[in-house]
Amino acid sequence: MLQIRHLTIRHKKDYRILLEDFNLNINPGDKCALIGEEGNGKSTLLKLIFAPESAENYVEYEGEIVTMGEQFGYLPQELPQNLQESTIYEYLTESGSLYDKSPNELAQLCAKIGFPVERLYSDELLGVLSGGEKIKVQLIRLLIESPTTLLLDEPSNDLDIETLVWLENFICGSDIPVLYISHDETLLERTANMIVHIEQLKRKTTPRCTVVHTTYQNYITNRSLMFEKQEQEAKNERREYDRQQEKFRRIQQKVEHQQNVVSRQNPHAGALLKKTMHRVKAYEARFEKAFENMTEHPEYEEAMFTKFGIRASVPNGKIVLDFTLDTLCKPGHDGTQKSGILARNIRLFVQGAAHICITGKNGCGKTTLMRMLSENLLQRTDIRAAYMPQNYEEFLNLEQTPVEFLSDGSKESISLMRTYLGSMKFTADEMMHPMRELSGGQKAKVMLLYLDTSGCDVLLLDEPTRNFSPLSTPVIRQLLASYQGAIISVSHDRKYISEVCDTVYELTPEGLVKRNL
């Protein structure tokens, strides 16, 4: 059993408290989803549970994390850089557990995950695998090590839809507890029976953590209803308070007027009016005391806000892309096309403000294709295109701050970008942090602002929702659905596909095949 007692976590750099006096018990059968906005400390909490030293360079903490001999299986949000040069076989044999499984057990596990068993013994470098393939290899290693508790940081990132369904079934059927972070709302809705919601209120100065044993959908629904009820009660009480205050004001004015008129001519009546005023004052004091504990307006962490793409526009008849490719080959470690054909006879025609999504199995070449499409579109002069890669580090300078990256250095530009970042819920300190210190979701927000401020009318998006919180992704979907330019994207996010895209293609060995939404 995993127990956390009175845990407080504080950033070393800006002393911001992420968690305060936090308590949690994880028991067998618990499928506990960690949710919250980007940068609120979800990944940090998993790191502290698994290996406290991995987070001690940027946070300090106090309290107890009681593991009682648990063997954790930990899936990090990103595969560590030092493992990118390892082969699949080297990575899987590092712990020695690979040899504890029979060939039949390994074959069954790989079949469930959708990863060819023969590749377990290959000399393919982890660094050249697709994002989804990296997740699958890491999951295989975790499961052959027979952990007693799973700690999964974004296990659904980059997985194809078939493997997402497997992951949902695996989490639901797991006999061991699972503590996980996910931005996939569909996966959360189908798997979680316990919610830990980490929030930062009052401009990220006050932490709040809610622990509830319920499903994700029930939590979101009940939370919304609770806030609506609290907001209505707060409004009603303040309305009543204002009404009573106005009543007291009128009575006092009336009595004061009578005192001024009557007291000089009739001392006895004046004395009675004075007593009346004392009674009014006493009643008002009791009233004020009764309203000291009025219902407060609900406090909650709002999702980010931005007016995305309001300048974009593509005429209906405009040919955005007419792309053909005879063969799509596997990329080498240096990013160039190598031998090994992934798909043939690719044709993609995009006209007007179409919203296109490309899906397909992990490793089928979607990201490789997106890179080629971006090279084609970014050099065009008749349209303005911008590219959001799956790996933000391909584009971001991690030593720059968000303000430095987004602004042109002028005073006006810096001020404007700080305003935009504020609308994305960045604090003043976070705006000046090097981007290597930001969470994946915060980097995604910087990328989104870059796309918006670029004034582009064509977006190329590789897994655009993968790092946004489940509370922010509805905002992202709404923004992109209303975008007046063209979108060419890769995604396995089922809600994104249904709400944003009007055309879906599956990348197969025979090329792009149109699928029903």
Side-chain angles (χ1 to χ4, degrees), residues 333-378:
H333 190 47
D334 58 359
T336 59
Q337 296 281 299
K338 300 293 184 181
S339 59
I341 295 174
L342 297 170
R344 299 178 185 275
N345 303 319
I346 293 174
R347 170 82 193 281
L348 182 60
F349 181 81
V350 181
Q351 185 173 6
H355 290 184
I356 307 293
C357 183
I358 300 172
T359 67
K361 293 182 179 294
N362 291 133
C364 70
K366 300 183 299 296
T367 292
T368 302
L369 177 60
M370 281 295 287
R371 289 196 183 107
M372 299 179 72
L373 297 179
S374 70
E375 291 173 3
N376 179 294
L377 288 167
L378 291 175

Side-chain angles (χ1 to χ4, degrees), residues 240-347:
E240 176 63 16
Y241 177 82
D242 292 340
R243 189 183 69 81
Q244 291 285 3
Q245 285 289 81
E246 178 61 23
K247 178 181 177 181
F248 289 135
R249 186 184 64 80
R250 289 198 305 269
I251 293 173
Q252 286 180 18
Q253 286 177 343
K254 182 178 179 181
V255 173
E256 286 172 355
H257 175 72
Q258 289 175 338
Q259 280 181 317
N260 292 333
V261 173
V262 175
S263 58
R264 298 192 190 99
Q265 303 171 1
N266 189 339
H268 177 69
L272 291 176
L273 287 170
K274 190 173 183 179
K275 288 182 180 180
T276 300
M277 178 63 80
H278 280 309
R279 286 197 299 271
V280 171
K281 291 285 188 183
Y283 184 63
E284 183 180 15
R286 289 196 300 272
F287 170 78
E288 289 283 356
K289 188 170 183 62
F291 273 84
E292 279 181 356
N293 297 316
M294 281 193 294
T295 303
E296 296 289 340
H297 290 285
E299 289 186 333
Y300 52 91
E301 189 174 28
E302 295 180 349
M304 63 175 207
F305 171 77
T306 182
K307 295 179 180 179
F308 183 79
I310 57 176
R311 298 174 298 277
S313 178
V314 177
N316 290 334
K318 175 69 176 179
I319 297 177
V320 174
L321 182 70
D322 190 357
F323 179 84
T324 58
L325 183 67
D326 292 335
T327 55
L328 178 68
C329 298
K330 291 182 179 179
H333 190 47
D334 58 359
T336 59
Q337 296 281 299
K338 300 293 184 181
S339 59
I341 295 174
L342 297 170
R344 299 178 185 275
N345 303 319
I346 293 174
R347 170 82 193 281

Side-chain angles (χ1 to χ4, degrees), residues 81-123:
Q81 191 61 40
N82 64 311
L83 294 175
Q84 301 283 348
E85 297 293 332
S86 298
T87 67
I88 296 175
Y89 181 69
E90 289 170 342
Y91 174 71
L92 293 176
T93 56
E94 214 170 44
S95 68
S97 299
L98 182 68
Y99 305 113
D100 296 333
K101 300 293 181 182
S102 69
N104 186 49
E105 288 174 320
L106 291 173
Q108 289 179 355
L109 176 59
C110 287
K112 287 179 180 178
I113 293 183
F115 193 82
V117 67
E118 60 272 13
R119 292 180 69 186
L120 301 186
Y121 307 96
S122 77
D123 58 0

Side-chain angles (χ1 to χ4, degrees), residues 192-475:
N193 61 18
M194 184 178 179
I195 304 296
V196 175
H197 186 182
I198 300 175
E199 296 178 271
Q200 293 281 307
L201 309 175
K202 299 177 181 178
R203 296 181 180 271
K204 295 193 176 182
T205 61
T206 304
R208 179 173 70 189
C209 190
T210 305
V211 180
V212 183
H213 285 268
T214 188
T215 64
Y216 177 75
Q217 193 59 54
N218 281 346
Y219 173 71
I220 295 299
T221 301
N222 293 339
R223 169 183 162 90
S224 178
L225 291 173
M226 179 187 69
F227 284 158
E228 287 177 9
K229 180 181 178 182
Q230 183 179 341
E231 181 68 28
Q232 192 58 50
E233 288 176 353
K235 288 179 179 179
N236 290 342
E237 290 178 12
R238 279 157 180 75
R239 234 183 338 257
E240 176 63 16
Y241 177 82
D242 292 340
R243 189 183 69 81
Q244 291 285 3
Q245 285 289 81
E246 178 61 23
K247 178 181 177 181
F248 289 135
R249 186 184 64 80
R250 289 198 305 269
I251 293 173
Q252 286 180 18
Q253 286 177 343
K254 182 178 179 181
V255 173
E256 286 172 355
H257 175 72
Q258 289 175 338
Q259 280 181 317
N260 292 333
V261 173
V262 175
S263 58
R264 298 192 190 99
Q265 303 171 1
N266 189 339
H268 177 69
L272 291 176
L273 287 170
K274 190 173 183 179
K275 288 182 180 180
T276 300
M277 178 63 80
H278 280 309
R279 286 197 299 271
V280 171
K281 291 285 188 183
Y283 184 63
E284 183 180 15
R286 289 196 300 272
F287 170 78
E288 289 283 356
K289 188 170 183 62
F291 273 84
E292 279 181 356
N293 297 316
M294 281 193 294
T295 303
E296 296 289 340
H297 290 285
E299 289 186 333
Y300 52 91
E301 189 174 28
E302 295 180 349
M304 63 175 207
F305 171 77
T306 182
K307 295 179 180 179
F308 183 79
I310 57 176
R311 298 174 298 277
S313 178
V314 177
N316 290 334
K318 175 69 176 179
I319 297 177
V320 174
L321 182 70
D322 190 357
F323 179 84
T324 58
L325 183 67
D326 292 335
T327 55
L328 178 68
C329 298
K330 291 182 179 179
H333 190 47
D334 58 359
T336 59
Q337 296 281 299
K338 300 293 184 181
S339 59
I341 295 174
L342 297 170
R344 299 178 185 275
N345 303 319
I346 293 174
R347 170 82 193 281
L348 182 60
F349 181 81
V350 181
Q351 185 173 6
H355 290 184
I356 307 293
C357 183
I358 300 172
T359 67
K361 293 182 179 294
N362 291 133
C364 70
K366 300 183 299 296
T367 292
T368 302
L369 177 60
M370 281 295 287
R371 289 196 183 107
M372 299 179 72
L373 297 179
S374 70
E375 291 173 3
N376 179 294
L377 288 167
L378 291 175
Q379 65 184 0
R380 294 261 297 274
T381 57
D382 59 322
I383 58 174
R384 293 169 297 173
Y387 175 43
M388 182 179 186
Q390 186 181 114
N391 180 6
Y392 310 135
E393 296 183 14
E394 293 178 19
F395 192 78
L396 298 175
N397 180 348
L398 298 184
E399 300 307 313
Q400 284 186 311
T401 68
V403 172
E404 288 172 338
F405 174 75
L406 292 169
S407 73
D408 61 14
S410 68
K411 185 177 179 179
E412 294 77 11
S413 178
I414 290 173
S415 177
L416 182 61
M417 293 308 145
R418 290 178 70 90
T419 300
Y420 284 161
L421 287 163
S423 73
M424 290 286 201
K425 306 306 175 185
F426 279 77
T427 66
D429 285 330
E430 288 170 337
M431 295 177 194
M432 303 312 294
H433 283 180
M435 282 188 284
R436 57 181 163 75
E437 297 180 7
L438 301 182
S439 70
Q442 288 173 313
K443 292 173 187 172
K445 287 180 175 180
V446 173
M447 284 298 307
L448 193 68
L449 278 176
Y450 168 76
L451 297 181
D452 187 24
T453 56
S454 297
C456 51
D457 43 34
V458 178
L459 299 178
L460 295 112
L461 310 174
D462 196 346
E463 296 287 357
T465 60
R466 67 190 292 265
N467 278 311
F468 289 105
S469 81
L471 304 174
S472 286
T473 46
V475 180

Side-chain angles (χ1 to χ4, degrees), residues 40-54:
N40 281 6
K42 304 184 297 297
S43 295
T44 297
L45 177 59
L46 288 191
K47 288 179 181 179
L48 287 177
I49 294 171
F50 177 68
E53 65 278 3
S54 65

